[in-house]
Amino acid sequence: MSNLHQFPTTSSAAAAPPGLPLPFDPAMAPALRNRMLREALPEPLQRLLDRGQVGRHSRFTEDGFADVVEDWTPPDGVTPRHAALARHALSEIADTILAPASANHLLGRVLALLSHFPAKATSPEVEQLLAMDWADDLGEFPAWAIDQAARRWRRTRKWRPSIAEIRGLCEEACAEENALAARLRAIAMAGERAGETGSTTGAVRPVLASAMRRMR
């Protein structure tokens, strides 16, 4: 995949979104990152997050058991004001922390990773198709999650990665942030529904927040 673009190497701290209103350092442990993000949210949102109902159930696919997933339901009393706060926080998280990596960064990181595991040469046409596949299948992830996945693979594996394997590591890297975003989205939906019906109930369909355990 020699036709992919290189990109300048940056440290983990430099990979953090610049000028982020919410505190975030991808080099921190996931649990600590999540705690700092929650503590930076408006207090009304923090209280709702603490009072939500958590349930867990097994998820199955056509191949059998896949993982255990978490369902989170907002508490009663969610208002349109809560919805506005949640939407604002969601916008900040989506536009900064979870913003998809640029194509150059993504393909550059993939090229660097695959260069550690040489494979037989392919034609330029096939290389271009391979690059498009990687860009398509990893394009939803932020740069810091892709960087973490590549670093983890380099340090723990001795063979060339597949797209599915790197996707799994990317999903794991930003699982805490996606789970928080899913809960904020559930709060926003509950508050908006309360505004439409004139009630203050938080009863909405539970939101699939994150996989708690995966088959390995």
Side-chain angles (χ1 to χ4, degrees):
M1 300 177 69
S2 58
N3 59 327
L4 303 186
H5 299 290
Q6 294 278 8
F7 68 101
T9 302
T10 58
S11 65
S12 295
L20 186 63
L22 295 174
F24 182 75
D25 182 354
M28 289 182 175
L32 180 57
R33 292 200 313 259
N34 184 60
R35 189 184 74 186
M36 290 184 64
L37 280 175
R38 285 176 61 116
E39 291 176 349
L41 294 173
E43 289 188 8
L45 289 182
Q46 293 185 46
R47 289 194 292 269
L48 291 177
L49 289 169
D50 291 338
R51 291 165 46 210
Q53 300 296 314
V54 178
R56 293 179 177 85
H57 67 272
S58 299
R59 183 173 69 88
F60 294 88
T61 67
E62 59 184 14
D63 297 322
F65 175 78
D67 50 37
V68 175
V69 296
E70 175 187 283
D71 292 327
W72 188 85
T73 305
D76 290 342
V78 181
T79 67
R81 174 58 178 166
H82 292 134
L85 291 173
R87 288 294 180 193
H88 180 73
L90 269 172
S91 178
E92 290 187 358
I93 292 173
D95 292 344
T96 53
I97 296 172
L98 293 177
S102 68
N104 279 349
H105 186 104
L106 189 162
L107 294 176
R109 177 56 71 199
V110 169
L111 171 61
L113 176 62
L114 296 182
S115 295
H116 291 286
F117 308 92
K120 63 180 181 179
T122 57
S123 68
E125 292 78 12
V126 172
E127 287 186 348
Q128 184 63 34
L129 291 173
L130 290 173
M132 291 171 62
D133 286 345
W134 280 94
D136 182 43
D137 294 337
L138 299 184
E140 70 198 75
F141 297 107
W144 61 268
I146 296 171
D147 292 347
Q148 285 190 14
R151 184 183 308 112
R152 183 172 173 183
W153 190 272
R154 290 196 315 268
R155 296 177 178 181
T156 61
R157 300 291 188 270
K158 298 180 180 179
W159 58 87
R160 194 177 180 89
S162 69
I163 294 178
E165 288 168 321
I166 298 302
R167 270 191 63 87
L169 292 180
C170 288
E171 290 172 347
E172 184 176 340
C174 54
E176 292 282 352
E177 289 74 20
N178 278 323
L180 177 59
R183 293 185 178 192
L184 290 172
R185 193 172 297 111
I187 291 173
M189 292 171 59
E192 290 161 358
R193 179 172 298 183
E196 294 173 356
T197 62
S199 66
T200 57
T201 178
V204 297
R205 182 180 178 183
V207 174
L208 180 62
S210 62
M212 304 300 294
R213 179 163 60 87
R214 296 179 180 276
M215 292 293 289
R216 299 187 183 278

